[in-house]
Amino acid sequence: MQRLITFALIFAFVSPCLCVDYNVIDFGAKGDGKTDDSQAFLRAWQSTCGAKEMATLVIPPNYQFLLTPLILKGPCQASNIHIQIKGKIVAPAKNKWISYYFSWILITNVNGLTVDGSEGSIHGLGDTWWSCKSCQRPSVITFNACNDLSVSYLNIVDSPRSHINVNGDDCIAISGNSSYVNVTGIACGPGHGISFTGTTNGARIKSFPNGPGYARAITFEQITLRKAGNPIIIDQFYYAPLTWGRVEVSGITFRDFSGTCAYDKAITLNCGAQGCFNITLDQINIVSSEGGKAVYCSGKNVHGIATSTNPTCSCLSS
Ligand SMILES: *[C@@H]1O[C@H](CO)[C@@H](O)[C@H](O)[C@H]1NC(C)=O
Ligand SMILES: *[C@@H]1O[C@H](CO)[C@@H](O)[C@H](O)[C@H]1NC(C)=O
Ligand SMILES: *[C@@H]1O[C@H](CO)[C@@H](O)[C@H](O)[C@H]1NC(C)=O
């Protein structure tokens, strides 16, 4: 009896919660790369989502799971859900898609979600889509209305369109109504984008001239660029040559940038007549990708300071 109590105590100590793993294989997934495993994933999801406390959806290694467009829906009973991607997930080729979906994988209304893709990979078969210029192409994964979301080490290969949407072809696009977003440890390119190898843009804030709202307190830090088109850019005239930008842009910091740009203009700070305020450039060193060629900074209606910035930005006023 004594022993049993001790055991129970130890057990309670090492296992403070009801944490349950739901492995897609146990729900009928084949993982042979040919069978559509979507229904098995959905069954595993139902159990994970309906668990009492913490639950983990396990996508095990050494398998290849073919998934047709999939929606993992909440709200969930489980207060914390992990999705562990250790295997390979593949999309059907374009000619196998029956109808258009905005996103191949959609995760919606799930709170307290952690997605860890460190050992696995997600293959969008984008090469079957890219040549079709008139096609509406899907994104790989979209998170919609997920509070307290953490996504790390996702390895996404060949997305037909954008890789990850959290709201809305960029490496990372942070669209309207987003706040407290922390994006760390990104390497991407070529493409449109944020570490940027051969991307159209590096750190960019763009707003439509008639758009409402604000972009405030945004820091871009420790960014390395290789041959980026616009390494640093604020553009309040996206898509229209008007003089007035309504989105208020303030408190933007670009710090610790290094690398090369493809053209002469390394830094663009193009603000509407009402101005952008409290813009900080610090420890910036961007040179031309063509050795020795001069690069410059250009801007208008921009207020703030530049320290240790190469090229110098004399357009910034206090
Ligand atoms: C932001 O949220 C408001 C209110 O819900 C909505 O009307 C608006 O369309 C959203 N804007 C964007 C860019 O998502
Ligand atoms: C963003 O996340 C990284 C990695 O978790 C962390 O080191 C950093 O402090 C965070 N930044 C902010 C502003 O929270
Ligand atoms: C400038 O912006 C930073 C955030 O990027 C903020 O912490 C600071 O308070 C702002 N300063 C003023 C005077 O608004």
Side-chain angles (χ1 to χ4, degrees):
M1 186 61 184
Q2 180 66 47
R3 204 178 262 175
L4 189 68
I5 289 170
T6 312
F7 177 77
L9 278 175
I10 291 173
F11 187 75
F13 185 70
V14 297
S15 178
C17 64
L18 292 166
C19 312
V20 192
D21 284 1
Y22 296 96
N23 187 323
V24 294
I25 293 290
D26 298 335
F27 290 81
K30 292 275 179 290
D32 58 9
K34 295 190 186 84
T35 311
D36 178 0
D37 284 325
S38 308
Q39 293 306 319
F41 270 60
L42 283 178
R43 289 191 291 270
W45 173 254
Q46 291 309 337
S47 296
T48 310
C49 181
K52 288 272 181 300
E53 288 180 28
M54 292 176 69
T56 303
L57 177 72
V58 179
I59 300 161
N62 308 317
Y63 289 97
Q64 183 168 328
F65 300 99
L66 175 68
L67 298 181
T68 48
L70 187 71
I71 303 179
L72 304 181
K73 260 190 223 154
C76 290
Q77 175 158 8
S79 53
N80 284 84
I81 293 186
H82 287 226
I83 299 181
Q84 263 174 15
I85 307 171
K86 297 185 171 180
K88 191 169 170 182
I89 298 177
V90 285
K94 178 182 171 294
N95 60 6
K96 299 275 168 55
W97 287 62
I98 295 158
S99 55
Y100 170 73
Y101 288 80
F102 164 78
S103 183
W104 170 30
I105 300 168
L106 170 64
I107 301 184
T108 180
N109 287 89
V110 181
N111 295 337
L113 175 65
T114 303
V115 181
D116 177 359
S118 49
E119 293 166 55
S121 56
I122 306 178
H123 300 252
L125 268 64
D127 52 343
T128 63
W129 291 87
W130 299 328
S131 61
C132 178
K133 299 295 174 205
S134 60
C135 292
Q136 279 189 296
R137 291 167 288 139
S139 304
V140 164
I141 187 162
T142 299
F143 296 97
N144 176 57
C146 296
N147 292 317
D148 195 10
L149 168 71
S150 163
V151 178
S152 46
Y153 306 111
L154 278 194
N155 180 10
I156 299 177
V157 183
D158 293 345
S159 174
R161 199 169 65 102
S162 56
H163 296 75
I164 303 175
N165 296 315
V166 185
N167 264 356
D169 60 338
D170 301 287
C171 289
I172 298 175
I174 297 173
S175 316
N177 293 341
S178 304
S179 50
Y180 303 107
V181 179
N182 181 358
V183 182
T184 308
I186 307 294
C188 87
H192 300 270
I194 227 182
S195 170
F196 307 103
T197 300
T199 55
T200 313
N201 299 287
R204 167 161 75 160
I205 294 180
K206 67 179 183 192
S207 67
F208 292 95
N210 57 353
Y214 59 82
R216 253 182 229 158
I218 299 172
T219 302
F220 297 93
E221 235 170 4
Q222 289 182 353
I223 292 180
T224 307
L225 309 137
R226 280 180 215 99
K227 236 177 155 178
N230 297 296
I232 293 181
I233 176 165
I234 296 179
D235 180 10
Q236 287 210 294
F237 306 106
Y238 188 60
Y239 270 129
L242 302 182
T243 51
W244 187 253
R246 261 177 61 204
V247 175
E248 174 210 313
V249 175
S250 66
I252 314 292
T253 302
F254 300 93
R255 178 173 289 124
D256 195 1
F257 277 58
S258 61
T260 58
C261 63
Y263 312 111
D264 311 352
K265 203 191 319 177
I267 304 174
T268 307
L269 305 168
N270 231 344
C271 297
Q274 89 282 22
C276 301
F277 296 89
N278 190 9
I279 309 299
T280 305
L281 295 174
D282 184 32
Q283 299 164 60
I284 311 285
N285 189 19
I286 302 169
V287 298
S288 170
S289 57
E290 292 169 40
K293 221 173 149 205
V295 297
Y296 68 100
C297 164
S298 115
K300 59 184 179 203
N301 305 318
V302 55
H303 306 273
I305 58 166
T307 44
S308 313
T309 294
N310 175 44
T312 51
C313 281
S314 50
C315 58
L316 267 171
S317 63
S318 53

